[in-house]
Amino acid sequence: MRITVFGASGSVGSALVPEALRRGHEVVAVTRDPEHIALRHPGLTVAVAELDHPPALEKALAGARAAIITLGDPICDTGTRAVLAAMRNTGVERVEVLTGFGTSAISRRRLGPAMRGTVGAVRLLVRTGFRAKERQDAYVRRSGLTYTIVQPPTLTYGPATGTYRHGDYRGKSILGRISRADLAAFMLDNLEQDRYLDQSVYVQN
């Protein structure tokens, strides 16, 4: 599968790209600065693109079967909206998007009362980043594309264990943890197996 990864030089993208290559996928790693991606591999193409430049985004998506979006908080909403538009223009229909725990009203309604209160407090404390992720979530759900929204709790730099739980939000907690390596493995498993289509999903170790 040819996969275009946006946010490829970030902390999750840096785990996703080598794991996808190890599995035999072709990867287009999108970055603003190619020096941020030191990895070299026959299956890897590094594409330089600004998120506000549609022609560059569309070029990076050409021939892809799917896109993965792992953008940071300051640009996650506007950047995702730009990528989704480029996907529609290039006919790439499958997208997987990394957001954050409880960053959609749909997910929060499935939490227990105490955890809804905790997430509500976090929403007030980190208002700017949380609201950006809420907008990102809304853009994806309204995109008309086949999507999976991945909403993990706390991310760690622990090793890949191959052991993680995933599913809906009922009874889940923001205090859960998952390593970036296991998160990358889950996201690729999910793409390969066409799971959680047009849904948001929780995942933790």
Side-chain angles (χ1 to χ4, degrees):
M1 186 189 315
R2 184 176 174 91
I3 305 169
T4 302
V5 179
F6 294 89
S9 60
S11 65
V12 176
S14 295
L16 270 164
V17 170
E19 177 61 15
L21 292 168
R22 187 188 68 79
R23 296 180 183 213
H25 297 297
E26 276 187 82
V27 177
V28 179
V30 183
T31 179
R32 289 182 295 176
D33 186 347
E35 292 186 2
H36 290 167
I37 299 178
L39 180 63
R40 296 293 179 266
H41 188 281
L44 175 65
T45 300
V46 177
V48 178
E50 296 285 348
L51 292 168
D52 60 356
H53 191 240
L57 299 179
E58 292 173 14
K59 182 178 179 181
L61 285 160
R65 184 173 162 193
I68 298 177
I69 301 174
T70 64
L71 300 175
D73 289 358
I75 56 170
C76 68
D77 53 348
T78 55
T80 294
R81 182 171 56 184
V83 171
L84 296 173
M87 290 181 66
R88 288 190 292 266
N89 289 340
T90 52
V92 181
E93 297 182 353
R94 182 75 172 97
V95 63
E96 193 169 48
V97 182
L98 179 65
T99 62
F101 185 92
T103 52
S104 73
I106 291 172
S107 298
R108 290 195 295 272
R109 284 197 294 268
R110 295 172 179 164
L111 297 172
M115 189 50 55
R116 280 201 304 272
T118 299
V119 172
V122 172
R123 187 171 181 257
L124 291 175
L125 287 170
V126 290
R127 181 183 180 91
T128 301
F130 204 101
R131 294 296 172 87
K133 288 187 180 297
E134 288 182 315
R135 290 190 294 272
Q136 178 188 36
D137 182 277
Y139 294 150
V140 175
R141 293 179 191 273
R142 296 197 302 256
S143 67
L145 303 172
T146 301
Y147 66 83
T148 303
I149 300 170
V150 182
Q151 297 183 321
T154 302
L155 302 182
T156 75
Y157 284 100
T161 67
T163 303
Y164 45 80
R165 293 173 287 160
H166 51 86
D168 71 26
Y169 258 52
R170 290 178 179 86
K172 303 304 189 297
S173 170
I174 198 170
L175 301 178
R177 294 175 178 272
I178 186 167
S179 71
R180 288 166 171 83
D182 278 335
L183 176 61
F186 166 75
M187 293 180 75
L188 290 164
D189 285 346
N190 190 66
L191 271 186
E192 292 167 355
Q193 299 169 22
D194 277 337
R195 295 185 304 197
Y196 298 109
L197 301 181
D198 297 334
Q199 299 178 57
S200 57
V201 59
Y202 176 91
V203 56
Q204 75 165 75
N205 286 126

